[in-house]
Amino acid sequence: MLSRIPNCCFCTAATAHPWLFVGLGNPGEKFKETRHNVQLPMNRVHCKALFGEGYVLEAPVLLAKPQTYMNLSGESVGPLAAYYKLPLNRVVVLYDDMDLPCGVLRLQPKGGHFSHNGLKSVIYHFRGNREFARLRIGIGRPPGQMDPKAFLLQRFNATAQGRIDAALPEGVAALKSVLSKGLTETARLFNQQQKYKHIRLQTLPT
């Protein structure tokens, strides 16, 4: 999702606090396109992350994809936020969420970790502070008695992949709206739209 943000002119400096958009996932070809990896990486390394920086809609933006494993994500995200001296209300973490139907998104200004190991690590490296935004990307629940860990490391089937592909532009639009309208207003409008999608998709098989 991160690499699909258009109109990004890469640079080395910014005049205001930039936004940091972080996509959590596991590194390497083994995990590519699995349910734990629903974003695409950047092209240089900084603070244990594939990284890019530039301007979107004239706003300074940092894009990062930690190259630690999911449960160590904070080892990258914490130092990145500290290096750029970012207030946590300028950080948005994108992550997979089994509590949402596949392809449904939610934007939240803050919250807990909901037993997500990547978020646990981020919160730990933010010294317990949870005042950062999250873009939750629904991947659905495992079928039957399937082990959730095995489910997370599976590749998407055609139906699920189609839903994820359709959701990515919606997520990009939400992130661009955060830059122009702010987090609170964007979350209000975006989540209202996604609520109807949730109702439509929650009973459909993937």
Side-chain angles (χ1 to χ4, degrees), residues 1 43 57 88-90 94 105 125-126 134 138 156 186:
M1 181 183 295
N43 58 7
L57 303 177
L88 294 193
N89 62 7
R90 301 292 281 191
L94 294 69
L105 309 179
H125 286 272
F126 283 163
R134 306 98 192 282
F156 291 106
T186 296

Side-chain angles (χ1 to χ4, degrees), residues 17 80-87:
H17 277 308
L80 272 172
Y83 181 88
Y84 288 97
K85 298 181 172 61
L86 297 177

Side-chain angles (χ1 to χ4, degrees), residues 108-130:
Q108 294 181 297
K110 59 183 178 179
H113 56 69
F114 302 106
S115 298
H116 189 284
N117 288 331
L119 281 183
K120 285 181 183 179
S121 178
V122 171
I123 291 169
Y124 176 81
H125 286 272
F126 283 163
R127 300 182 180 181
N129 194 324
R130 304 182 180 200

Side-chain angles (χ1 to χ4, degrees), residues 19-197:
W19 284 89
L20 172 60
F21 297 154
V22 182
L24 302 188
N26 285 313
E29 288 296 316
K30 176 181 177 181
F31 300 102
K32 187 177 181 181
E33 297 179 357
T34 63
R35 289 181 171 87
H36 242 341
N37 278 29
V38 293
Q39 315 86 20
L40 298 177
M42 302 300 100
N43 58 7
R44 69 183 179 91
V45 177
H46 183 35
C47 293
K48 298 184 182 180
L50 288 170
F51 181 79
E53 62 181 316
Y55 287 87
V56 180
L57 303 177
E58 301 183 355
V61 175
L62 309 173
L63 308 177
K65 171 70 167 63
Q67 293 302 283
T68 63
Y69 285 103
M70 176 68 85
N71 61 356
L72 300 175
S73 298
E75 293 182 2
S76 171
V77 183
L80 272 172
Y83 181 88
Y84 288 97
K85 298 181 172 61
L86 297 177
L88 294 193
N89 62 7
R90 301 292 281 191
V91 177
V92 182
V93 175
L94 294 69
Y95 70 98
D96 58 283
D97 193 332
M98 289 194 298
D99 290 331
L100 291 175
C102 185
V104 174
L105 309 179
R106 285 287 188 278
L107 181 62
Q108 294 181 297
K110 59 183 178 179
H113 56 69
F114 302 106
S115 298
H116 189 284
N117 288 331
L119 281 183
K120 285 181 183 179
S121 178
V122 171
I123 291 169
Y124 176 81
H125 286 272
F126 283 163
R127 300 182 180 181
N129 194 324
R130 304 182 180 200
E131 303 293 313
F132 60 93
R134 306 98 192 282
L135 180 59
R136 301 162 57 199
I137 305 168
I139 58 171
R141 283 278 173 187
Q145 301 299 312
M146 185 177 184
D147 182 356
K149 292 181 180 179
F151 177 72
L152 287 172
L153 299 180
Q154 272 191 341
R155 293 182 181 271
F156 291 106
N157 62 30
T159 300
Q161 186 63 61
R163 291 190 188 178
I164 293 296
D165 289 344
L168 292 181
E170 297 173 359
V172 169
L175 294 178
K176 291 178 68 179
S177 179
V178 167
L179 301 177
S180 61
K181 297 180 180 178
L183 184 58
T184 301
E185 179 65 8
T186 296
R188 183 183 69 81
L189 296 173
F190 181 72
N191 291 338
Q192 186 176 34
Q193 296 167 359
Q194 290 293 313
K195 180 175 71 174
Y196 298 110
K197 186 178 182 182

